Amino acid sequence: MTAPALQFDVFTLFPDVFAPYLQSSILLRAQQRQLIQIQLHNIRDWTTDRHHITDDEPYGGGGGMVMKPEPIFTAVESVLGSPPTCPVILLTPQGRLFNQGVARQLVQPALEGLTAAAELPSPRLALLCGRYEGIDERVRQYLVSDEISIGDYVLTGGELAALVVIDAVSRLIPGVLGDPDGAEDDSHASGLLEYPHYTRPPEFRGYPVPEVLLSGDHARIARWRREQALLRTWQRRPDMLPNAPLSDKDRKFLAKLEAELPQEPDA
Ligand code: ADE
């Protein structure tokens, strides 16, 4: 049995919330095929007091509770060593914003491991889920190596964010998606939003599928898809265009759009 391409170690007070998502669909298959391994660690298991307390009142007063440092340090160091040799990522709205580029960074050690000549131990990513009002600052300072936010809103804890990171990173490992090129055309992967998709029937409630897709002309279809991706990105996410890799043909198409359909100025 070969080592998985990537191992996730999730530290959480609510391991049960992960199972329904991780035990379904593509991530379940990826685990069954040993492409990824996900280990859930309940921080409460590393408490030493009779009541298994993981939080306490904030020094200086104020509302809310703060996650205590001891069980978190003990949990992470017991599993990963002291100091941990893999990234320890805290999920927090104060972290750097997660996007496709960050997902690509995080999967990189796994991709390098797949092409290494000798079999190495699996690269690991530790994900630490915060809860309550916050986490003792010493965890950030002395244990965590990276902080990630999945968006500018506040969740009740880092668990959903950890699932988002696991999902977005795992699908970049070759073989996780059925289609070997599955992740390449995705929105964001190419720096553009993805083109629209259609399947049978060719006409539904009078709404037809664009004729070009039924034509069997692969060059025309490829050009149409590229132009639709450009159009969509120009309409919905023009902020992405300056960073997208564009050909001369793409630029001409965008210039034509600008000339024909001047964009509404922001309201
Ligand atoms: N925990 C609470 N809100 C979060 C967010 N937006 N991203 C990551 N972790 C979080």
Side-chain angles (χ1 to χ4, degrees), residues 16-265:
D16 293 350
V17 306
F18 288 84
Y21 195 77
L22 297 179
Q23 295 306 320
S24 314
S25 186
I26 288 177
L27 293 184
L28 172 63
R29 203 186 48 183
Q31 292 169 86
Q32 288 169 336
R33 294 168 66 194
Q34 289 283 322
L35 294 166
I36 57 170
Q37 194 171 62
I38 304 163
Q39 296 200 331
L40 302 172
H41 309 282
N42 191 340
I43 295 167
R44 200 174 298 282
D45 293 344
W46 276 273
T47 51
T48 49
D49 62 300
R50 213 153 58 89
H51 299 291
H52 303 291
I53 289 179
T54 56
D55 63 335
D56 206 340
E57 292 162 356
Y59 274 123
M65 297 293 272
V66 176
M67 284 176 79
K68 290 165 67 60
E70 304 96 310
I72 299 177
F73 270 81
T74 313
V76 171
E77 291 177 345
S78 304
V79 172
L80 300 172
S82 176
T85 50
C86 72
V88 178
I89 302 171
L90 175 66
L91 287 313
T92 161
Q94 298 184 12
R96 61 182 174 136
L97 262 189
F98 190 62
N99 61 23
Q100 195 66 25
V102 177
R104 259 189 242 120
Q105 264 172 24
L106 296 181
V107 83
Q108 198 54 41
L111 303 185
E112 283 161 16
L114 287 174
T115 55
E119 189 167 308
L120 304 165
S122 301
R124 295 169 94 159
L125 281 181
L127 300 171
L128 173 55
C129 306
R131 275 269 156 176
Y132 305 113
E133 298 301 300
I135 198 157
D136 188 284
E137 187 64 17
R138 290 163 290 188
V139 172
R140 283 180 201 280
Q141 287 177 308
Y142 305 114
L143 186 65
V144 158
S145 60
D146 194 0
E147 299 183 33
I148 286 181
S149 163
I150 60 161
D152 289 341
Y153 41 81
V154 181
L155 303 164
T156 52
E159 284 75 12
L160 283 175
L163 281 171
V164 166
V165 171
I166 291 170
D167 190 299
V169 171
S170 297
R171 65 194 292 291
L172 298 179
I173 295 172
V176 167
L177 298 180
D179 171 1
D181 300 329
E184 277 170 21
D185 273 344
D186 287 339
S187 292
H188 297 286
S190 64
L192 297 175
L193 298 184
E194 207 183 355
Y195 53 78
H197 299 275
Y198 293 88
T199 186
R200 278 182 278 271
E203 187 174 310
F204 170 69
R205 296 190 176 174
Y207 307 125
V209 170
E211 173 276 326
V212 56
L213 296 179
L214 311 177
S215 69
D217 180 340
H218 296 296
R220 246 181 93 212
I221 292 172
R223 192 64 219 156
W224 181 85
R225 286 182 166 163
R226 182 73 186 170
E227 290 182 352
Q228 288 293 314
L230 289 163
L231 173 64
R232 253 197 191 183
T233 311
W234 181 75
Q235 285 172 326
R236 299 180 184 199
R237 291 292 306 276
D239 58 295
M240 290 170 64
L241 287 174
N243 298 320
L246 299 175
S247 67
D248 288 347
K249 220 167 170 185
D250 294 336
R251 288 182 201 285
K252 275 202 195 112
F253 178 75
L254 288 169
K256 206 171 91 197
L257 286 181
E258 294 283 351
E260 284 172 8
L261 310 164
Q263 241 175 343
E264 300 268 314

